[in-house]
Amino acid sequence: MSLPPSLSRPEAVSDERVAALAAELAASHPGIALLAGAADLTRLSRDFHDYSPVLQQQLEGRRAQLAVRVHTVEQVMAVAGACARHGVPLTPRGAGTGNYGQCVPLAGGVVLDLTGLNRLRVIDPLSGVVEAEAGALLGDLEAQLRPAGRSLRLLPSTWRTASLGGFIAGGSGGIGSLRWGFLRDPGNLLGLEIVTVEPSPRRLRFDAAGSAPLNHAYGTNGILTAVRLATAEAVTWQQLVVDFADGDAALAAVGALPATALLLQSLTLLEAPIAAALPSPPGCPAPEPGAHRLLLLAAPDSLEVLPHWLEERGGRLRWQAPEGDGRAMPLRELGWNHTTLHWRARHQGWTYLQMLLPRPETPLIAAVRERWGHDVLWHLEAVRQDGATRLAALPLVRWRGAGDLAELMEQCRSLGAVIFNPHVLTVEDGGLGVIDADQVAAKAAHDPAGLLNPGKLRGWDER
Ligand SMILES: Cc1cc2nc3c(=O)[nH]c(=O)nc-3n(C[C@H](O)[C@H](O)[C@H](O)COP(=O)(O)OP(=O)(O)OC[C@H]3O[C@@H](n4cnc5c(N)ncnc54)[C@H](O)[C@@H]3O)c2cc1C
């Protein structure tokens, strides 16, 4: 498979130029860690794009020439300035858990590991608004918010390992999306601090509106150094596992539950073969053969109503337990792309898709089953989209080649689904497919030489 033109474009720079940059940084900022060993460079140039055979092939061998680990905003500015002066590409990196090859450097250059920049700056005791440095791990931030009775509104299922900056720059939503929608919905992200990539870098602060163009831009238009977020009141969520013998009854329950007055944090539906393949939390029985499985995070006060409500609709409560601090497999690590992770651990020849299903969902699901049989298996997540409850799908797809994948996506699109294609490298193609002029303008303002994560913002390459 040859690379599309926008991918082959980013120019690699010479090793001599990168060595000169490294020498300058070592002399001026001895506290900055410079990693140039092959093992470090390979490890820090990777993410989880191997869920996509398409990306795996396209990104083969792409590697940084230097990795730099920073702990302070001043150090970020030093690296940004050095890259600008030497004309070296710079790819920011959090924990490297992205699925789209977002932090794989297409043009080599420097990978900037920001996980050392991880201090909690402030939690406002009245509003609960939190500001933390971008490299903070979401799990650590959650632990720091707890004593204040607060919790992050949205978390990826990689909440233990992913960074705050990586979630804003590369993620979209996940646990909590049933209540709070997605990161780009107004009210979730309240502000950003960034560093520009210029010979004399600037440290800038933006309010919510000013931050929008940098939200989900793959770090192509500014290095995030701190993030301000709205938070939610902390709840000790109850985990419920409910099995349904009948798939239509399960789908009907998933459609009806968010319309109740029950406070829910997440609602996942796994088709029977997926349910059978996934691990169960300790003490939770495996599903009966052929049973579809609902995974629920619900507020404690819902327990008086939920079991009966589910039973009336054909559901059987198999297990319940409060979320704890233990490291036993929590339900939040079985949904979203963790479903894909667990499935692929057993079935390597499979990949996945991401889409927002049309309403009603059944005609699309039936048409896909008719065309592809059990080579497409359904994993659904209830979400809030533009104020209404909708079903997102992350179906598991047996890999039958790029042509069949394209046909499947086209079929789903023609039946009303919005596809978020996880087999492409640019911000635009993985999202709604359109160029966001504000994202491109932000890149022009903060990265005029186009050094940040080259090749990932199609609007910049096509301007
Ligand atoms: C099993 C699994 C489950 C997942 N579940 C979810 C999910 O539920 N929801 C979801 O949204 N995603 C999910 N993801 C994708 C990913 O884990 C999240 O989006 C995560 O928040 C990314 O954070 P990170 O620190 O790993 O970012 P990275 O992978 O390090 O980076 C992601 C992007 O952000 C950029 N970036 C990182 N830090 C900065 C910074 N400080 N400034 C500017 N740019 C920066 C990088 O250049 C890259 O483009 C999942 C992935 C896996 C493997």
Side-chain angles (χ1 to χ4, degrees), residues 92 94-99 102 157-158 163 166-167 169 171-173 218-219 224 336-337:
T97 66
N99 292 118
Q102 290 121 308
S157 58
T158 45
S163 75
F167 190 36
S172 54
Y218 293 5
L224 315 186
W336 290 93
N337 233 357

Side-chain angles (χ1 to χ4, degrees), residues 128-219:
V129 169
V130 64
E131 179 170 328
E133 290 179 342
L137 300 189
L138 296 168
D140 292 345
L141 207 47
E142 273 290 89
Q144 289 169 309
L145 283 165
R146 273 282 156 165
R150 308 300 299 181
S151 180
L152 294 172
R153 287 180 170 186
L154 295 167
L155 287 169
S157 58
T158 45
W159 64 284
R160 285 192 217 240
T161 46
S163 75
L164 179 58
F167 190 36
I168 301 299
S172 54
I175 302 148
S177 282
L178 178 54
R179 288 174 79 197
W180 302 106
F182 292 87
L183 280 171
R184 294 194 81 173
D185 289 346
N188 285 324
L189 176 63
L190 302 181
L192 289 174
E193 179 191 87
I194 73 154
V195 164
T196 62
V197 179
E198 299 171 287
S200 298
R202 291 168 293 152
R203 179 176 180 166
L204 306 174
R205 285 184 72 87
F206 295 112
D207 63 8
S211 300
L214 293 106
N215 192 346
H216 202 73
Y218 293 5

